[in-house]
């Protein structure tokens, strides 16, 4: 995956200069590329060649086959990472690395470690064997004990730029597709979200359906609110996404009304649906946006799902009829 080149070059330089820390905290939002970067860093540490990772030495080969005994990774399976899991890994650390200069332990979602697990890890961080490198990935380092944090080098992962995300999509799927503007905008700098959307036809089909609903709801005439509600009901576990799609529609409508420039649209592949409602007064578009925000806030504070959505649909419909 592309992105985070600066971080990777800094880590590469540390390996080159033999200036690797015993422990790192990779901190940033979910899906932003922390694990991917940790795995790349580990591949550098595993290789002993001058041009690393060479990909052909014994250590590189074993790493690629996920069977290098000098590498361990913890992936959170249950609600938390238990002390047993940490102890299992730590047990083996007294044995020197077999194929590499380093032993690398990645603990993904380290903020899910129980207190006992953190305490067990802390002991190893206090007096680590010289060949150990820990990489902890977290959403927020505040969730990890200060005693652990103070022993780790902290590396911040920011959201990527829209151009970076676009490049990542291109490197994964080749030629640019019309709905990528939407995907990039929705992903908001998180590569994992962009890839999830691009890979799942369901998300994009749902977007079509929701845009169709929104655009016909706003257009004058009769609209069957109950039929529309059905889409929300069927997708109630993705309601954040659905509401976001609606907000982006109205965002585009405002932009288009203001500028008449279709190149500024996020839903640039759905120009027709936007242009069709260009006659809707500004104040009405704003009312629609308010209605979506109200629904979202209501749902966040556990309002009745059906009521919140139906009120929103009604308000959007009425915006054009008042
Ligand atoms: Zn190698």
């Amino acid at each position: 995956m592309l992105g985070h080149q600066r971080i990777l070059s800094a880590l590469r330089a540390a390996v080159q200069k033999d200036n690797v820390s015993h422990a790192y905290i990779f901190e940033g939002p979910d899906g932003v590329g922390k694990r991917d970067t940790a795995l790349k860093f580990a591949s550098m540490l595993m290789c002993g060649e001058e041009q690393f990772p060479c990909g052909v030495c014994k250590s590189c080969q074993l790493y690629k086959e996920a069977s290098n005994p000098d590498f361990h990774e913890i992936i959170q399976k249950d609600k938390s990472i238990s002390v047993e899991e940490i102890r299992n890994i730590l047990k083996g650390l007294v044995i020197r690395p077999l194929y590499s200069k380093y032993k690398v332990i990645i603990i993904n979602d380290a903020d899910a470690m129980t207190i006992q697990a953190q305490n067990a890890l802390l002991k190893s961080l206090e007096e680590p064997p010289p060949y150990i490198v820990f990489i902890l990935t977290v959403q927020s380092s505040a969730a990890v004990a200060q005693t652990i944090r103070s022993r780790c080098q902290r590396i911040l992962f920011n959201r990527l730029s829209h151009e970076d995300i676009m490049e990542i999509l291109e490197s994964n799927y080749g030629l640019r597709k019309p709905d990528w503007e939407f995907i990039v905008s929705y992903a908001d700098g998180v590569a994992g979200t962009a890839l999830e959307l691009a890979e799942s036809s369901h998300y994009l089909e749902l977007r079509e359906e929701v845009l169709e609903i929104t655009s016909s709801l706003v257009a004058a005439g009769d609209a069957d609110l109950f039929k529309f509600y059905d889409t929300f009901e069927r997708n109630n576990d993705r309601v954040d996404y659905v509401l976001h799609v609606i907000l982006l529609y109205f965002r585009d409508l405002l932009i288009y009304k203001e500028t008449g420039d279709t190149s500024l649209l996020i839903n640039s592949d759905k120009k027709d649906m936007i242009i069709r409602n260009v006659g809707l007064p500004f104040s009405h578009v704003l009312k629609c946006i308010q209605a979506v925000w109200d629904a979202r806030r209501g749902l966040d504070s556990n309002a009745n799902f059906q009521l919140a959505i139906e009120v929103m649909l009604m308000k959007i419909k009425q915006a054009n009829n008042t």
Side-chain angles (χ1 to χ4, degrees):
M1 194 187 290
L2 306 162
H4 306 305
Q5 290 308 338
R6 222 160 28 90
I7 292 174
L8 276 169
S9 346
L11 293 171
R12 173 173 286 279
V15 179
Q16 246 152 6
K17 291 185 201 137
D18 208 6
N19 189 25
V20 177
S21 301
H22 287 304
Y24 293 85
I25 283 188
F26 287 6
E27 178 174 358
D30 257 354
V32 83
K34 301 183 299 274
R35 174 169 182 247
D36 200 68
T37 307
L39 290 172
K40 281 207 178 112
F41 182 33
S43 77
M44 297 180 201
L45 292 166
M46 288 289 107
C47 181
E49 300 300 314
E50 208 162 299
Q51 298 291 326
F52 57 85
C54 71
V56 290
C57 71
K58 182 80 184 159
S59 182
C60 278
Q61 275 181 8
L62 289 172
Y63 181 73
K64 275 196 286 190
E65 292 161 12
S67 56
N68 193 320
D70 299 332
F71 173 77
H72 299 279
E73 184 179 25
I74 295 184
I75 294 174
Q76 184 194 352
K77 287 180 235 82
D78 303 317
K79 252 190 259 151
S80 55
I81 297 173
S82 69
V83 65
E84 287 78 23
E85 262 179 285
I86 297 293
R87 281 202 190 120
N88 267 339
I89 297 271
L90 298 179
K91 255 193 325 221
L93 297 190
V94 288
I95 306 162
R96 297 190 57 81
L98 290 171
Y99 298 101
S100 330
K101 189 171 160 192
Y102 300 99
K103 278 195 158 184
V104 179
I105 297 101
I106 300 179
I107 306 178
N108 292 291
D109 300 309
D111 28 7
M113 283 187 291
T114 62
I115 301 287
Q116 293 89 329
Q118 296 199 28
N119 284 336
L121 176 65
L122 184 59
K123 288 205 191 99
S124 298
L125 289 176
E126 279 167 340
E127 287 164 40
Y131 45 81
I132 297 288
V133 180
F134 286 102
I135 308 168
L136 280 54
T137 76
V138 297
Q139 284 201 63
S140 158
S141 62
V144 175
Q146 159 65 19
T147 41
I148 289 183
R149 256 182 293 158
S150 65
R151 285 172 174 82
C152 297
Q153 186 179 333
R154 183 164 162 249
I155 296 184
L156 279 180
F157 283 70
N158 293 320
R159 288 169 189 274
L160 298 172
S161 70
H162 281 198
E163 291 78 49
D164 280 342
I165 299 279
M166 198 55 99
E167 264 183 57
I168 288 170
L169 287 175
E170 276 169 1
S171 76
N172 277 274
Y173 302 106
L175 281 183
R176 200 176 278 221
K177 297 205 185 82
D179 46 25
W180 283 6
E181 286 291 337
F182 162 77
I183 291 180
V184 166
S185 165
Y186 179 76
D188 194 21
V190 178
T193 306
L195 291 171
E196 192 188 341
L197 251 66
E199 265 155 35
S200 144
S201 59
H202 180 79
Y203 277 104
L204 296 173
E205 280 160 17
L206 180 56
R207 167 183 174 243
E208 302 265 341
E209 197 176 333
V210 171
L211 285 177
E212 197 57 68
I213 287 177
T214 310
S215 134
S216 40
L217 202 53
V218 176
D222 282 334
D224 186 350
L225 294 188
F226 292 107
K227 203 181 107 222
F228 290 161
Y229 172 72
D230 181 57
T231 298
F232 290 82
E233 167 118 355
R234 270 188 287 111
N235 294 286
N236 65 4
D237 53 336
R238 296 185 192 87
V239 70
D240 279 343
Y241 173 76
V242 170
L243 295 183
H244 202 98
V245 169
I246 302 179
L247 279 176
L248 289 181
Y249 176 86
F250 288 121
R251 174 262 180 212
D252 274 355
L253 190 51
L254 281 182
I255 298 276
Y256 184 70
K257 283 176 68 61
E258 183 69 32
T259 65
D261 184 352
T262 52
S263 74
L264 299 173
L265 302 181
I266 289 168
N267 297 290
S268 53
D269 55 327
K270 301 287 168 203
K271 289 187 204 80
D272 295 351
M273 287 190 196
I274 290 151
I275 294 170
R276 158 175 162 193
N277 286 316
V278 71
L280 197 67
F282 274 105
S283 58
H284 291 188
V285 182
L286 294 175
K287 269 189 209 161
C288 293
I289 291 175
Q290 186 61 48
V292 184
W293 277 112
D294 287 348
R296 184 184 265 180
R297 205 166 322 122
L299 292 172
D300 281 347
S301 45
N302 289 320
N304 178 284
F305 183 84
Q306 182 166 4
L307 190 64
I309 296 299
E310 284 183 353
V311 167
M312 177 190 78
L313 294 175
M314 210 117 65
K315 282 185 189 163
I316 293 176
K317 167 117 196 75
Q318 279 167 358
N320 201 24
N321 297 323
T322 45

